[in-house]
Amino acid sequence: MGRKKEVRVGAWVFASQSDAQEMCSKLLAAYEIGQEICEDVAAEFLHALILRHPEAETKVGCGISRFYVDHDGFKGKCFHLLRTDGTRTDFSFKSCIKPPTAKEEALAALRSEVCAQTQKVKADAFAAGTVRCAVTGAVLTWESAHVDHVVFFEQLVAAFLEQERSVVESLKVRPTEDGVTSTWLVDRGLAERWAAYHREHAVLRITSAEWNLRRPRNT
């Protein structure tokens, strides 16, 4: 097993990426939606953290006035910043600690393009009455339920891209925009074809989030 690589965030040094992410998670959890991060040490840490973002120049813009916590667009929360010109944007601490690869960004965009489909499956299930995990039978709440692909998402993507004579790493995603928390494909024709392919071929089911996150990758 390879040695864990330390992560430096300004004056802070972490033994591993997971240690750095754990600190970020604890800091985020300490603040409520809309609350400003005004403590000097926390603000100093976030100033150093944002400089590690792969799009740091765009995120910082003309300069940072303050940091705060707000919605992430997915019923959660994330760090936001207010610039000195009054404009605002959000940023992912995970991208600061471990910048996403081209493959990870493309897969995120492909998920965004079919999000309406998966969320409709979830909404329809809950509208029909009690929802149980398709695997364990446990009764689920909206928060504890995931929409799971019976055939793994990446396998569907691979089959689609083979048809398109392309590979996932070659897909281009839209640049970051203020107020846009999802990643989207640049090629809108490809996006439409992918959405149609997913609608026809994806087999979806409702499972518990806990089971889905622990699902063996070879099943």
Side-chain angles (χ1 to χ4, degrees):
M1 183 179 294
R3 182 182 176 184
K4 291 183 178 180
K5 185 177 181 181
E6 70 177 23
V7 175
R8 293 178 177 270
V9 181
W12 289 263
V13 180
F14 300 93
S16 65
Q17 291 179 347
S18 60
D19 287 348
Q21 290 191 3
E22 182 179 359
M23 175 165 172
C24 293
S25 294
K26 288 180 177 178
L27 180 59
L28 182 62
Y31 292 85
E32 300 297 329
I33 297 292
Q35 188 175 1
E36 180 180 350
I37 301 172
C38 53
E39 290 80 5
D40 290 342
V41 174
E44 182 183 349
F45 175 76
L46 290 178
H47 272 283
L49 183 67
I50 191 66
L51 295 180
R52 292 178 53 93
H53 195 283
E55 297 178 358
E57 185 175 353
T58 299
K59 293 291 185 181
V60 173
C62 59
I64 300 170
S65 174
R66 64 182 176 89
F67 292 96
Y68 62 102
V69 169
D70 210 337
H71 297 284
D72 65 358
F74 300 96
K75 298 188 177 181
K77 59 184 180 179
C78 66
F79 293 118
H80 288 244
L81 63 85
L82 173 69
R83 301 190 186 95
T84 54
D85 64 357
T87 57
R88 303 167 184 265
T89 195
D90 66 292
F91 66 98
S92 166
F93 70 76
K94 291 182 180 180
S95 294
C96 297
I97 300 301
K98 183 180 180 295
T101 63
K103 179 179 179 179
E104 289 169 339
E105 285 204 319
L107 286 172
L110 289 163
R111 287 188 182 277
S112 294
E113 299 293 353
V114 297
C115 183
Q117 294 179 35
T118 57
Q119 287 305 297
K120 184 178 186 304
V121 168
K122 187 174 182 178
D124 288 349
F126 277 90
T130 301
V131 177
R132 294 180 179 273
C133 174
V135 178
T136 68
V139 176
L140 303 175
T141 64
W142 181 273
E143 291 73 21
S144 66
H146 272 193
V147 179
D148 175 51
H149 287 76
V150 175
V151 175
F152 283 120
F153 183 78
E154 288 194 31
Q155 290 178 295
L156 278 176
V157 168
F160 168 70
L161 291 179
E162 182 177 4
Q163 177 179 291
E164 292 282 325
R165 298 184 179 180
S166 183
V167 292
V168 68
E169 291 84 357
S170 71
L171 303 185
K172 303 300 183 183
V173 302
R174 290 182 174 180
T176 294
E177 296 178 36
D178 293 351
V180 178
T181 56
S182 298
T183 305
W184 303 93
L185 294 173
V186 169
D187 187 336
R188 303 315 299 161
L190 180 69
E192 291 178 5
R193 294 193 298 277
W194 161 240
Y197 183 91
H198 184 272
R199 187 177 296 107
E200 180 179 354
H201 296 281
V203 179
L204 304 174
R205 62 185 173 183
I206 306 293
T207 65
S208 72
E210 181 181 12
W211 181 88
N212 191 28
L213 293 173
R214 294 180 180 179
R215 178 184 175 186
R217 296 294 94 183
N218 61 349
T219 61

